[in-house]
Amino acid sequence: MDDRVAATLREDPTMATLIDRHGRLSIEPAADEFARLCTSIVNQQLSTASAAAIRERFVDVLGGEPTPDRVLASDEAALREAGLSGTKVEYLRAAADAFRDGDRDLTREGLAGESDEAVVAALTEIRGVGEWTARMYLIFALGREDVLPLGDLAVRKGIERVYNDGAELTRAEMREIAAAWRPYRSYGTRYIWAEYES
């Protein structure tokens, strides 16, 4: 996170407190977009600890970081034993097909000129990739700096905890709070996650 991002976020006194507490967090594009998408699929509807353990076993089954060919060649029973549901195995294979044989280049270079909404639309054509997974891809695979993933329960609960003493807020109210972080809402989101998980 550079000084320009920090200065913008610090205009929100609550966010300034989180920056002081958690230090400088970064938003960086992933070295491998496909592997990052696999991580988001594995993480769907799981706690952070469970997801990390299953991802580690998943990588062990593949014999290395996920590639489309490794995922498509992997043994389904071994993937199930690693903790993946049959549905998630299907989703991972659909993602592998999309990256290997798809009509679109889903890498950072291939999506460079596309808006966030166009990227979400392209990704959600893949079976098993919903809005949440697509928004995680924008942040963690593509390194997009202005994403607010309100489909993420931890983001919503975190905003409520940090900005409203845990009391419920509407999504419109959350968007209004996060407007102060523009054009760096992905960074603000990282601070909300960091606080929620601390």
Side-chain angles (χ1 to χ4, degrees):
M1 180 170 81
D2 64 26
D3 291 342
R4 177 180 43 105
V5 176
T8 300
L9 294 180
R10 283 183 176 283
E11 289 176 21
D12 172 349
T14 302
M15 189 57 62
T17 302
L18 297 185
I19 293 169
D20 291 340
R21 185 173 299 148
H22 298 287
R24 290 202 171 203
L25 301 178
S26 64
I27 300 292
E28 302 284 339
D32 183 324
E33 298 92 342
F34 176 72
R36 183 56 235 189
L37 180 59
C38 288
T39 297
S40 290
I41 291 170
V42 169
N43 290 357
Q44 290 171 357
Q45 299 179 322
L46 291 175
S47 71
T48 304
S50 295
I54 292 171
R55 186 188 183 283
E56 192 174 309
R57 294 194 299 267
F58 167 58
V59 171
D60 286 345
V61 169
L62 296 181
E65 284 299 310
T67 65
D69 288 339
R70 281 180 179 157
V71 169
L72 292 169
S74 60
D75 178 67
E76 181 171 353
L79 293 174
R80 298 288 303 274
E81 284 175 26
L84 292 165
S85 66
T87 304
K88 280 195 183 174
V89 172
E90 287 177 31
Y91 293 170
L92 289 162
R93 292 203 164 137
D97 277 332
F99 267 77
R100 193 177 74 175
D101 305 321
D103 300 331
R104 308 252 339 235
D105 178 355
L106 298 172
T107 64
R108 193 166 55 258
E109 293 76 22
L111 297 170
E114 303 277 353
S115 70
D116 290 351
E117 294 313 313
V119 173
V120 168
L123 288 167
T124 53
E125 290 175 9
I126 302 168
R127 181 164 156 41
V129 176
E131 179 93 10
W132 178 86
T133 304
R135 300 236 175 249
M136 295 305 105
Y137 191 83
L138 285 169
I139 296 171
F140 294 110
L142 303 183
R144 301 264 176 118
E145 295 185 324
D146 194 33
V147 179
L148 180 66
L150 291 180
D152 187 271
L153 180 64
V155 171
R156 295 194 310 275
K157 292 291 184 195
I159 290 173
E160 288 170 346
R161 182 190 297 170
V162 171
Y163 286 89
N164 206 37
D165 293 325
E168 198 169 308
L169 291 166
T170 66
R171 290 191 188 206
E173 289 168 325
M174 292 179 196
R175 278 190 283 276
E176 195 173 311
I177 288 165
W181 316 336
R182 281 182 179 270
Y184 305 114
R185 290 178 299 171
S186 300
Y187 289 90
T189 296
R190 286 224 49 207
Y191 282 100
I192 294 295
W193 273 319
E195 184 67 12
Y196 182 75
E197 291 172 1
S198 64

